[in-house]
Amino acid sequence: IAGGADRLELCSAFPIGGLTPYTALLEQIRRESDIQVRCLMRPRAGDFLYTPEEIQLMRRQMEQLKAAGANGFVIGCLTAQGDLDEKAMEPLLEAAQGYRLTLHRCVDVSRDPERTYLEAGHLGFDTVLTSGAAPSCTAGMETIGRMLRHQAQGGPQVLIGAGVNAQVISLFRSRFPEASAFHMSGKVEVASGMAFRREGVPMGAPGFDEWHIQQTGPEAVQKARKALDA
């Protein structure tokens, strides 16, 4: 917020790509700001092929997050064949009536990302978060460019993500002036305050660094804001 962000995508478990956020975290944010917040609905890491139980869990979580002050949601389900699963998303779309919707990066692992983008628009999504079906948005620039052409014809806003910083924003804006929305963590690593450190006892995946904490750096967001405004 201090760096000039227009809205937040709120999630937990950022190092594994983000999971559904804690309701209490959103309540904390609401005590600080009325910034637009869209909550990621992702019950676990891994693919986007969800069981009926996982869908119902997300729906119940959406009701709690709405009560806590969410403005919108970031959702997405795929079929086993890699297509957007409209049937699986029906309960989530119903729960999101009256709220803004972003299709998350399931688009980037779908069989036909461009078609998935267009289908998202037909389903009522106003935003599609994408890296252009690539590890980073710069690697996916050509696909993002095609989506931006659809955006110009009334398609959902293309929210460019994965590897975004001020330099990347300037690069995209020089090539695609219509690119106006970017998604970034602006993360920096802060050393743990622990003086005593028992090594070799991971709390999660072996090799995961327990002694650095990822935070959003306001300076990185400020630089991105300036690049976007320029």
Side-chain angles (χ1 to χ4, degrees):
I1 294 170
D6 294 303
R7 73 173 185 238
L8 305 179
E9 179 188 312
L10 189 61
C11 67
S12 64
F14 182 78
I16 57 172
L19 300 179
T20 301
Y22 307 111
T23 303
L25 176 58
L26 178 56
E27 290 171 343
Q28 281 186 317
I29 291 171
R30 278 290 166 253
R31 288 194 287 270
E32 299 292 334
S33 173
D34 62 355
I35 190 171
Q36 290 281 310
V37 176
R38 297 192 187 186
C39 294
L40 174 65
M41 305 313 300
R42 188 178 180 221
R44 55 162 172 79
D47 62 44
F48 303 105
L49 180 64
Y50 294 119
T51 66
E53 292 79 11
E54 289 170 329
I55 296 291
Q56 289 306 313
L57 171 61
M58 286 188 280
R59 174 160 185 162
R60 290 195 298 271
Q61 290 171 319
M62 288 173 72
E63 296 300 331
Q64 296 171 351
L65 291 163
K66 286 194 291 187
N71 302 107
F73 297 95
V74 184
I75 67 173
C77 304
L78 296 178
T79 67
Q81 290 72 38
D83 300 313
L84 201 59
D85 193 338
E86 182 176 352
K87 182 173 178 57
M89 287 192 296
E90 281 180 0
L92 307 181
L93 295 173
E94 182 180 343
Q97 287 286 332
Y99 289 77
R100 299 297 186 92
L101 279 175
T102 299
L103 181 71
H104 59 45
R105 290 189 61 206
C106 70
V107 64
D108 293 324
V109 292
S110 66
R111 178 163 48 175
D112 186 338
E114 194 172 347
R115 186 180 72 182
T116 300
Y117 167 90
L118 293 170
E119 289 175 347
H122 296 318
L123 289 175
F125 288 85
D126 63 48
T127 304
V128 174
L129 170 62
T130 182
S131 66
S136 68
C137 60
T138 50
M141 188 174 284
E142 294 301 325
T143 298
I144 292 172
R146 291 194 294 273
M147 292 181 183
L148 285 167
R149 286 194 286 274
H150 292 301
Q151 174 187 282
Q153 297 172 0
Q157 182 183 62
V158 178
L159 181 58
I160 299 167
V164 169
N165 56 32
Q167 291 75 28
V168 168
I169 291 174
S170 296
L171 174 64
F172 266 91
R173 296 279 285 164
S174 65
R175 183 166 177 185
F176 303 108
E178 64 273 31
S180 59
F182 294 86
H183 171 95
M184 65 182 294
S185 64
K187 65 178 177 290
V188 296
E189 287 194 340
V190 179
S192 167
M194 288 293 296
F196 173 76
R197 301 184 179 189
R198 187 182 300 282
E199 303 291 349
V201 186
M203 296 295 107
F208 188 81
D209 183 1
E210 308 287 354
W211 309 116
H212 287 84
I213 300 166
Q214 292 184 351
Q215 296 182 354
T216 295
E219 296 83 4
V221 182
Q222 288 170 354
K223 290 178 181 177
R225 177 84 259 176
K226 288 180 181 178
L228 182 60
D229 292 342

